[in-house]
Amino acid sequence: MRYLDYACAWGILLTAVSFMLAIEILHLRGGILDIPFLWLLVAMLNLLRLRNGYASVPGLMVTCIGANLVALTLEIVRWRLFGSGILKAWGLYTFVAAVAFLGETILSIVRKNDPGSQARL
């Protein structure tokens, strides 16, 4: 489970960075940086959760679950708006990001009681 959690978090981070680079270098039509910045912040929160655990940072569980749910909801809305229409490549990346956010949301909730997720002292 821990490896899947890390894979989802790093996948979100790499997707965010690649989207930022694509938008800045290629100047994609309709590409704006607000969505990749949200992905970057959510990935950083999830990596913080994985590194430190819930015990060392008060309120981290609620923050991570809330951020993952907000990002998942945004990706579901974007998938419905753009997935089947004009931007098919954006729709594929949106689907991949939504699956990663769904995985992170579930793993953030499940790993609450996992003894391996506690902070290392």
Side-chain angles (χ1 to χ4, degrees):
M1 281 286 222
R2 190 166 182 85
Y3 294 117
L4 180 63
D5 208 354
Y6 271 107
C8 288
W10 279 103
I12 294 169
L13 181 71
L14 293 176
T15 304
V17 171
S18 64
F19 258 57
M20 286 180 191
L21 288 174
I23 289 170
E24 286 299 317
I25 293 172
L26 301 175
H27 301 288
L28 299 171
R29 184 181 186 120
I32 52 177
L33 290 173
D34 59 346
I35 302 298
F37 277 133
L38 173 69
W39 292 352
L40 183 69
L41 292 174
V42 171
M44 289 180 356
L45 278 172
N46 285 316
L47 289 171
L48 176 71
R49 174 184 56 86
L50 288 169
R51 174 72 172 102
N52 294 329
Y54 291 126
S56 62
V57 182
L60 184 62
M61 180 179 142
V62 174
T63 305
C64 281
I65 292 172
N68 287 326
L69 283 175
V70 166
L72 177 63
T73 305
L74 179 70
E75 293 309 314
I76 290 172
V77 168
R78 286 183 63 216
W79 177 259
R80 181 71 178 122
L81 291 176
F82 301 118
S84 60
I86 307 164
L87 305 171
K88 292 194 185 230
W90 287 93
L92 176 65
Y93 288 120
T94 301
F95 177 73
V96 169
V99 168
F101 285 126
L102 178 64
E104 281 296 325
T105 304
I106 293 170
L107 291 170
S108 295
I109 296 169
V110 170
R111 292 189 49 85
K112 175 186 164 203
N113 295 323
D114 184 15
S117 67
Q118 298 300 321
R120 294 178 210 91
L121 297 176

